[in-house]
Amino acid sequence: MPATTENNQGSFLGRISIRRNQVLSMDGTHDQEMEDLELFQKHVADRFSELLSSTTEDSSGDALLSISWLRRLLDEFLCCEAEFKAVMLMGRDPSQIAKPPLDKLLPEFLDRVVKSLDICNAVTLGLDAVKNLQRLAEIAVAALDTTPLGDGQVRRAKKALAGLIAAMLHEDNANAKGTERNRSFGRRSGNNAGSNSKDRVRSLSWTMARNWSAAKQIHAMMSNLNAPRGAEASGLAQPIYIMSTVLVFVMWALVAAVPCQERNGLGTHFPLPRQLAWAQPMISLQEKIAEEWKKKEKKGNVGLLEEMQRMEKLGQSLVDFAESFQFPPETERLDEVKKQVEELGEICKRMDEGLEPMQQQIREVFHRVVRSRTEFLVVLDQAGKLSAPTV
């Protein structure tokens, strides 16, 4: 997390803590709470604006849906979640969040949280599948990064790359054809690299319930996601709507990037009011991701993760080289292949350094939202007991 973001969050949380512990008039409390709500919206806008600015073409380290960008997205989500919980719960009378319209909106938000847990599990499994693709690429890199390059090394690289390409194209093509899934963990259906690789992706990313669908789960989270209107727009209904939107967007982006079970129809936009300043950068990011999805959905692809997109392109080029390889190779072609192998090796290195920390972040998101949901349920239970008639 950038130092400025961390400092802003600490300042914001401290500010709310101090205010809620002060004895203030009702008018003063209302005015200062409005300031807190506005500051929360500003922080959400700033965080997603920074994420949007990092997706420009000259930003090589944080390309859209790259591992580093997704890790930043998860960090920003955790910041938003902490501030949201402070706004809603810190020093607040439990009865305040049990009144209409919060008595309806808050349970709907907590239901979205439950649905997000399944997505976290599916994405974590999908990242395991990505690690298997990385291993195939590493085999090809090791084989082609030899001097002199001979038929044996090229055949070994070709086998690994063929498996890599087949595995990357498998998932969405299978979904489109309605192919029956093989849900047995680790089962293999053939002796060639392509079939083994496809089964490794299948066994890791398809261990959710047979009828579970990532796209349907996202659409279910979008259900009843409506911006508050009138007087509700200036009250606590607004941060609930903002945090619900942030939660849906983050899960949507993760499912778009990482191989997950049944993603057909994921590219559908969820509505965001364009007149809201905090929503503007999120809308722009959504449009960028949806455009990438449209480019890939017809040919089938295991995910929009930037590193996998580059890996697929390089892998296909190296397969073409391997299929036409003759010893001794042409010097000019060999120089081009060397550059491609170096780039593929660099991608593997980024994956090796980033995938495991990303999985840890997703686990942190999982446990954080579980804890927060429990805290909200405790407060709602307290509010129920306070409102219950005495016998």
Side-chain angles (χ1 to χ4, degrees), residues 292-309:
E292 289 301 309
W293 183 270
K294 289 178 183 177
K295 292 178 183 178
K296 301 295 181 181
E297 64 182 351
K298 291 185 179 180
K299 76 174 197 175
N301 193 280
V302 78
L304 296 180
L305 189 70
E306 170 67 14
E307 285 79 6
M308 289 202 300
Q309 298 302 309

Side-chain angles (χ1 to χ4, degrees), residues 79-96:
C79 289
C80 291
E81 197 274 342
E83 292 189 5
F84 166 72
K85 191 167 64 174
V87 167
M88 296 297 299
L89 294 180
M90 190 177 289
R92 190 178 293 282
D93 184 339
S95 64
Q96 288 182 280

Side-chain angles (χ1 to χ4, degrees), residues 133 136 158-168 193-195 197-198:
L133 300 179
L136 289 171
K158 180 182 176 181
K159 183 178 180 180
L161 292 168
L164 172 68
I165 299 301
M168 294 183 79
S195 61
S197 301
K198 287 186 287 187

Side-chain angles (χ1 to χ4, degrees), residues 263-274:
R263 298 183 302 151
N264 287 336
L266 182 68
T268 304
H269 273 44
F270 55 94
L272 286 173
R274 292 184 176 272

Side-chain angles (χ1 to χ4, degrees), residues 80-323:
C80 291
E81 197 274 342
E83 292 189 5
F84 166 72
K85 191 167 64 174
V87 167
M88 296 297 299
L89 294 180
M90 190 177 289
R92 190 178 293 282
D93 184 339
S95 64
Q96 288 182 280
I97 66 170
K99 297 176 181 179
L102 303 190
D103 60 336
K104 178 175 180 289
L105 297 177
L106 194 52
E108 289 178 352
F109 169 72
L110 297 181
D111 182 63
R112 291 187 187 98
V113 167
V114 172
K115 289 180 172 61
S116 74
L117 301 180
D118 272 348
I119 294 176
C120 286
N121 284 332
V123 171
T124 299
L125 292 169
L127 290 174
D128 282 334
V130 175
K131 289 179 183 178
N132 280 326
L133 300 179
Q134 174 196 337
R135 293 185 189 105
L136 289 171
E138 288 172 342
I139 291 172
V141 169
L144 294 175
D145 190 22
T146 56
T147 305
L149 186 63
D151 289 331
Q153 291 91 344
V154 172
R155 283 196 299 269
R156 185 165 181 251
K158 180 182 176 181
K159 183 178 180 180
L161 292 168
L164 172 68
I165 299 301
M168 294 183 79
L169 294 177
H170 170 71
E171 183 207 18
D172 285 347
N173 285 339
N175 288 343
K177 296 175 183 177
T179 304
E180 180 69 16
R181 301 179 196 86
N182 172 12
R183 297 171 66 250
S184 59
F185 192 88
R187 177 180 171 184
R188 297 184 178 183
S189 61
N191 295 322
N192 61 73
S195 61
N196 288 348
S197 301
K198 287 186 287 187
D199 283 328
R200 280 195 286 268
V201 173
R202 188 186 294 126
S203 66
L204 288 165
S205 64
W206 288 358
T207 55
M208 306 295 290
R210 182 179 292 272
N211 62 347
W212 189 85
S213 162
K216 289 180 180 178
Q217 195 81 338
I218 293 292
H219 291 157
M221 291 179 68
M222 296 177 191
S223 177
N224 299 320
L225 185 58
N226 301 312
R229 298 178 179 179
E232 293 180 5
S234 60
L236 291 179
Q238 184 71 357
I240 293 177
Y241 172 68
I242 293 173
M243 195 62 216
S244 291
T245 304
V246 170
L247 179 66
V248 172
F249 176 85
V250 170
M251 295 300 133
W252 179 80
L254 287 173
V255 170
V258 179
C260 290
Q261 178 175 312
E262 294 289 1
R263 298 183 302 151
N264 287 336
L266 182 68
T268 304
H269 273 44
F270 55 94
L272 286 173
R274 292 184 176 272
Q275 72 273 17
L276 299 178
W278 62 265
Q280 292 301 316
M282 204 178 301
I283 291 171
S284 297
L285 286 169
Q286 183 190 52
E287 291 173 346
K288 283 175 173 280
I289 295 171
E291 186 62 31
E292 289 301 309
W293 183 270
K294 289 178 183 177
K295 292 178 183 178
K296 301 295 181 181
E297 64 182 351
K298 291 185 179 180
K299 76 174 197 175
N301 193 280
V302 78
L304 296 180
L305 189 70
E306 170 67 14
E307 285 79 6
M308 289 202 300
Q309 298 302 309
R310 292 171 59 194
M311 182 178 285
E312 180 189 9
K313 183 177 180 180
L314 290 167
Q316 189 60 63
S317 177
L318 291 172
V319 165
D320 293 342
F321 164 75
E323 289 178 343

Side-chain angles (χ1 to χ4, degrees), residues 74 78 117 120-121 123-125 127-128 131 254 355-371:
L74 291 168
L78 290 170
L117 301 180
C120 286
N121 284 332
V123 171
T124 299
L125 292 169
L127 290 174
D128 282 334
K131 289 179 183 178
L254 287 173
L355 289 177
E356 184 61 32
M358 184 174 165
Q359 282 183 312
Q360 292 174 359
Q361 283 177 293
I362 293 173
R363 285 192 286 269
E364 183 179 355
V365 167
F366 182 102
H367 292 297
R368 174 80 72 84
V369 298
V370 166
R371 287 196 303 270

